[in-house]
Amino acid sequence: AKDYELRQYETAKWVSTVIRGETQKEAMRQGFWKLFHYLQGKNEKEIKIDMTVPVTCLVKSGCADYKISFFVPFEHQNSPPQPTDSEVFIEERKAAAIFVRSFGGFASPEKYAEEAEVLARILRNRGQSFHEDFFYTAGYDSPFKLFNRHNEVWYFKK
């Protein structure tokens, strides 16, 4: 469809952390740095790992916990080094069909929520079945990139 796409993602490992009781913006900041330190060598092998995109944030309705995640680069998918920070963990996300809506600009939590609501409305109107109680935000750009930014919201197909 012109206003969203349906993607099939394969099973993959992500490095994640959960930030509790903060605003989404503050959770993203804290989570980013925890995960960035993992990439910089705060892991059992003390190796540097390349930064990947997207950076995702799991947003659940009525919940103040946010799970921030980085995709583990392909060369480390089979055996990612274990984090040494007890609040950082490796998770395997199962293969899934995901409805995706893309948009540009600098994405605030409010903008992500607005785009997620637009996507949810479109999917309901088209009779698509999806998990409505949570969505992911996905950011693809460094904070220093000013133009042609790419952001997404994801709903998982039922």
Side-chain angles (χ1 to χ4, degrees), residues 15 19 21 24-25 28 30 32 36-37 50 56 81 84 91 93 99 107 116 121 124 134 137-138 145 150-151:
V15 59
I19 305 294
Q24 186 178 345
K25 186 173 184 164
M28 284 292 293
Q30 287 182 22
F32 178 91
F36 186 75
H37 289 135
D50 290 336
T56 65
T84 52
E91 67 169 324
R93 292 189 194 165
F99 293 107
R121 193 167 45 245
R124 281 187 215 106
F134 70 91
T137 68
K145 182 174 181 182
H150 184 81
N151 314 289

Side-chain angles (χ1 to χ4, degrees), residues 53-67:
V53 291
V55 175
T56 65
C57 177
L58 172 61
V59 180
K60 296 184 208 165
S61 312
C63 182
D65 295 355
Y66 299 97
K67 182 170 66 176

Side-chain angles (χ1 to χ4, degrees), residues 51-116:
M51 175 84 198
T52 59
V53 291
V55 175
T56 65
C57 177
L58 172 61
V59 180
K60 296 184 208 165
S61 312
C63 182
D65 295 355
Y66 299 97
K67 182 170 66 176
I68 318 305
S69 307
F70 290 174
F71 179 78
V72 172
F74 291 110
E75 63 267 26
H76 296 287
Q77 277 288 317
N78 288 338
S79 61
Q82 287 304 306
T84 52
D85 179 337
S86 63
E87 295 180 2
V88 175
F89 56 94
I90 303 294
E91 67 169 324
E92 183 170 274
R93 292 189 194 165
K94 300 291 176 217
I98 300 176
F99 293 107
V100 178
R101 180 170 170 83
S102 300
F103 60 98
F106 279 90
S108 63
E110 297 75 21
K111 180 67 174 162
Y112 277 124
E114 186 182 301
E115 293 291 338

Side-chain angles (χ1 to χ4, degrees), residues 41-48 76 79-82 84:
K42 201 171 179 186
N43 57 64
E44 66 181 3
K45 294 180 184 168
E46 297 183 349
I47 60 171
K48 280 194 169 190
H76 296 287
S79 61
Q82 287 304 306
T84 52

Side-chain angles (χ1 to χ4, degrees), residues 17-29:
T17 189
V18 175
I19 305 294
R20 293 180 171 82
E22 297 289 350
T23 63
Q24 186 178 345
K25 186 173 184 164
E26 179 58 19
M28 284 292 293
R29 191 189 69 74

Side-chain angles (χ1 to χ4, degrees), residues 1-6 98-102 119 122-123 126 128:
K2 70 175 177 27
D3 35 18
Y4 72 90
E5 58 185 293
L6 177 58
I98 300 176
F99 293 107
V100 178
R101 180 170 170 83
S102 300
L119 177 56
I122 291 167
L123 295 174
R126 302 220 172 122
Q128 296 286 1

